[in-house]
Amino acid sequence: MIILGIHEGHDAGAAIVKDGEILSAVNEERLVRKKLFMGVPRNSIIECMRIAKLSPDKIDKVAIAGILGTMAPPGWENISFKKKIYQFICNYTPFPKTHFFINLQRALFRSFRNKSVEKYIRSIGIDAPIEYVDHHKCHAASTYYTSGKEECLIITSDGSGDGVSSSVYIGKDNELRLLKEFPTFHSIAYYYGYITQIAGFKMFRHEGKIMGLAAYGNPQKVYKIFEKCFSFKDGRPVNNLGVIGETAINFLKRSLRNVSMEDYSAALQKRTEDVISKYIDYYVKEKKIYDVAVAGGLFANVKVNQRVLELPAVNSLFIHPHMGDGGIAVGAALAVSAAEMANEGNGLKPYKLKNVYFGPSYSNDEILEAIENNKLKGEYIRDIERYVAEKLEDGKVVGYFDGRMEYGPRALGNRSIFADPTDTSINKWLNKRLRRTEFMPFAPSILDTAAPDYYENYISGRYPAQFMTITFNTTKEAQKARAVIHVDNTTRPHVVSKQSNPRYYKILENYRELTGLPLFVNTSFNIHEEPIVCSPDSAIKSYLNGIVDVLVMGNWVLER
Ligand SMILES: [Fe+2]
């Protein structure tokens, strides 16, 4: 059974899932070169079918993420009239506050659902039946079926999707059972968004900057203000302030007028960690299920994830690698795939992802063609793994492009920039070169064999650590590579196994042979506000812009 998953909202994308296995998954931003693209992911749909070598008539079913479609988050500009009505209702009526009204809201707004995806897929010859899947169920399916745990507690949390901001599911016997869902009105992630906006960054895009800044502040100074805003009481997250959107933003602006950005970021981060930890601890104990899987934009917060994993009651934690809305095309396809498989037999058994290289790849010939089209002269290197390690030892910044593009927000070694992990000044000069304002240090890729010596509590977090979705406290051994450690002594590693990426593993081994270090800086191959590079052409463009000293694509090398 072949399912095409589609998401047309924030970070739109498509995916092909065959009998529960992800054959391809691409987000539209990478193809149209517009960060977090919203709209019908026309190119991703075509690209996913091309990668999976499928014609439109081979699709058995289409799974579209979201019953209501994309609604406007508060504070969002340039929204349509219909969405403004929705926003007004969210902000000023008591309706969306209770569970009963979530369903009423769904019934009221169902007819608002944009039909442009349907029109598009019919226009390209896909006749398969269409199923719409609830937004949070997509998040839940994305993480349950890739958790590798037959039984686990699933928590989703984001700004809003289909009138809901968080849900609790139990994954058992290859099925998802909804326990609770909490309305948008009680969204914790919205508070993170408000503060991101107040700090002068973009809501739902730059939350990571606030998380990075938090380590520099004193959380106690204004913790009480956030205590007033949101909490976890009687088994549910609660918006204590009783307002959302502009009204909440104005309250925070007034309350934080004379507070430094670092201090309010620290307080917000601590409050978020405290409330989410309490929330997960509550359901883990109540349901006596100690393996947890999470998804939703809030879990892009790697520090929250660390706190959850450190809870004494939590045995293991999995974060779906594409935890935000960019991952719900896969989630929709997995949910429908699982239901179809359950109808036919035992259903879809949760499995572990070997890697997340679900995007397009380019052969050495195609790379050479791109180099020549750009009127450049490349050099073919046979032992590319040694070559890259030598360049890094030499202090060069290497742009590395190889194999299939990663799925999700993190570059995991196929569209990455590598650099020396010991140079503590790197955060200044490399961020400047990449035109980024980051408050988190760069993250490392590290050999799996070395990770237990470098990170505390690593064993219980080793699965999510393959996807760079969690931080760890660092050991004394790790201090050798100070450039990848934050001021609070944590790091967000990408742990590489031979099985997940043999070529990349070999580069790391070569680097260790040359320097004694089993890790180096791995940051995404893009400049600020641009999506990660996808094709050789976009990698060459970045090289010509001067962001890397050496560009390695397959076995071809460009060096200035
Ligand atoms: Fe979401």
Side-chain angles (χ1 to χ4, degrees), residues 302-303 305-307 309-310 317 319 446 451 454-466 468-475 478 484-486 488-495:
V302 287
K303 304 289 297 239
N305 299 341
Q306 177 180 358
R307 271 285 298 276
L309 182 64
E310 285 169 357
L317 173 70
I319 306 109
I446 183 166
Y454 273 61
Y455 311 126
E456 289 172 10
N457 200 22
Y458 166 70
I459 296 301
S460 51
R462 65 186 155 182
Y463 182 36
Q466 288 182 37
M468 238 187 204
T469 50
I470 190 161
T471 47
F472 294 92
N473 292 337
T474 53
T475 63
V484 291
I485 299 175
H486 205 14
D488 59 3
N489 205 33
T490 63
T491 191
R492 183 190 64 183
H494 164 219
V495 177

Side-chain angles (χ1 to χ4, degrees), residues 252-270:
L252 286 166
K253 270 188 189 160
R254 275 196 312 274
S255 311
L256 302 170
R257 202 176 298 138
N258 298 315
V259 183
S260 76
M261 220 153 89
E262 290 82 356
D263 286 342
Y264 67 65
S265 299
L268 168 72
Q269 178 65 27
K270 181 166 176 5

